[in-house]
Amino acid sequence: MTSYAEFYRRSIEEPDAFWREQAQLIDWQTPPQQICDYSQPPFARWFVGGTTNLCHNAVDRHLANRAQNTALIAISTETDSERSYSYAELHAEVQRMAAALQALGVQKGDRVLIYMPMIAEAAFAMLACVRIGALHSVVFGGFAAGSLAARIEDAEPMVVVSADAGSRGGKVVPYKPLLDEAIAQSRHKPSAVLLVDRGLAPMQRQPGRDHDWAALRAQHLHTSVPCVWVEATHPSYTLYTSGTTGKPKGVQRDTGGYAVALAASMKHIFDGQPGQTFFTTSDIGWVVGHSYIIYAPLLAGMATVMYEGLPTRPHPGVWWSIVEKYRVTHMFSAPTAVRVLKKQDPSWLQKYRVDSLKALWLAGEPLDESTAQWISDALHVPIIDNYWQTESGWPILTLAQGVEPQTPRFGSPGKAMYGYRVKLVDDATGEELTAPNHKGVLAIEGPLPPGCMQTVWRDDARFVNTYWKSIPGRLIYSTFDWGIRDADGYYFILGRTDDVINVAGHRLGTREIEECIASHPNIAEVAVVGVADSLKGQAAMAFAVARDATGLDSPEARLKLEGEVMKLVDHQLGAVARPARVHFVNVLPKTRSGKLLRRALQAVAEGRDPGDLTTMEDPAALQQVRELLGR
Ligand code: AMP
């Protein structure tokens, strides 16, 4: 067996040979001529000259050997339903969806926006898009009209695929009215909307624009839609993520590099085999959902579980009952979900046989040691943290269990993964910090490995300026996370360097929330910060200055305005972005040059010392915050 150190070294020192080997994990219609073209840094073009198709590799390729094996298990504890699809059945459904999209005019290069709950049709739609060379842009179902409108405007989809409703905790969440409102708000209008009717909520259909999936499916029951072979560098999708500005960025990913990266990750990181079952509890609206609910398990010929529902409903043992029933071998979740389960009766974990599990991977936010220890003691399997980002598409830091199994060290997501030239750099000088245990910005030298973002959708300048120019003096990719590395090469993540916060593993831009709150007629100014939360990791907290503060000295008036602000955020951005509290203050802490001192606010809200405040305009500003929070 190769040691991981040797495996990593080879990926960095002989990248062409390394990735040429990995490229054999997928099918190519034309093999690549060049492994990596990095002639225009920081733009990396992987597997140039190769043509392939993501859907072929995820579905069609398996028909020869495992057509009757289970590919997709869609479970909803919201509608109390379970449906399994073999690879052959998935192949048929994806073709029907692809035929429906083609009937609505979708061609190679067109965008299709998918705003769907966690139902099998969402997977069909994603796979159907890449089958015909169209780009999908999945928008998390928890986002509301304003967020959706911004994404429709940026992606300019020809078609939107949606459904009547999702459901959360037994409560129906209608999607169609939000979608209609978003389309009305957006300057770009999709030419068609394809609707899955689950029979959960009534839908008003716009004649000529809105189409019924059931009807189109029936028309195309036997239509065969061949895979469109695309260049390896052809974009497969865009996925929006928050940054420091109010405008979300469309992370654009290629086809060949992504397929190779995911297939390789399944082998080397997750050690997944055909016939095994992967259960990722995330949502298709997030990158973990794209990579490890949909593409990677299917590329590997495994069965993948899609789950709609809460981890605690109908009872806190529901996930373990799924593990038992489907003999789940690989489970992937987020620390917040485990913290939620930790609050329940521990006996739920003893009720089910979970001995099929090989390991539990957790990602999306810092994994605290006590949570890791608790779930480790309960499951008796390795608990493996993994650190990555929407931008990377697959883990940057973790343990490569398929190369050399290692014991996780709680508190650390692990080591640099093969292909990633991970560095810690001094944020002021750009110098690399090579000695152990020095805090620096976690950065990655180009070229980024296959699978990582190609660019920001239609904005190469933003890609370069945002990610590659934030470290002084050198062109290097910044993750915007602080980190340290110990003498054994294990990294530790110490929080973001920017204004991005992480609530229950969901990445939110504080600017986006601020812009939304500031659109309330009685809000003059607002600062949103992330405050440590024992369950969700962080919670958003808003500090606002009212335009007209008359009457705001009464608690009822404050509560009323706070309620209005929360409603506005729910309506515009979605409940995921709703601040836990909105506090009203007379003035916000700012520097003399007018920059908001978010970090000082955050420190006070967390009961920490705000540090050096000599640049602060009005020292009384923090005093009021202290009094408000009783700090
Ligand atoms: P997202 O793009 O939504 O996946 O968010 C990525 C960000 O989440 C990273 O830049 C980190 O700030 C944080 N993050 C993701 N995984 C981890 C982890 N395992 N440990 C600590 N932070 C993490």
Side-chain angles (χ1 to χ4, degrees), residues 339-357:
R339 287 193 290 263
V340 167
L341 293 176
K342 195 174 154 197
K343 293 199 157 191
Q344 316 294 324
D345 180 351
S347 70
W348 280 107
L349 264 152
Q350 267 90 59
K351 287 200 168 55
Y352 299 94
R353 276 189 66 184
V354 294
D355 58 343
S356 55
L357 267 187

Side-chain angles (χ1 to χ4, degrees), residues 287 364-366 385-391 479 481 493 496 502 507:
V287 67
E365 54 179 318
D385 192 0
N386 55 129
Y387 161 90
W388 47 298
Q389 309 182 303
T390 306
E391 289 83 350
T479 63
D481 282 301
I493 301 295
R496 296 281 301 192
N502 194 318
R507 172 165 159 190

Side-chain angles (χ1 to χ4, degrees), residues 62 211 415 502 561 619:
H62 302 303
H211 301 263
K415 298 181 176 179
N502 194 318
L561 186 54

Side-chain angles (χ1 to χ4, degrees), residues 588-597 615-618:
L588 289 171
K590 285 187 187 164
T591 61
R592 279 185 214 111
S593 57
K595 231 179 132 223
L596 259 178
L597 284 165
T615 58
M616 197 159 106
E617 164 94 12
D618 179 2

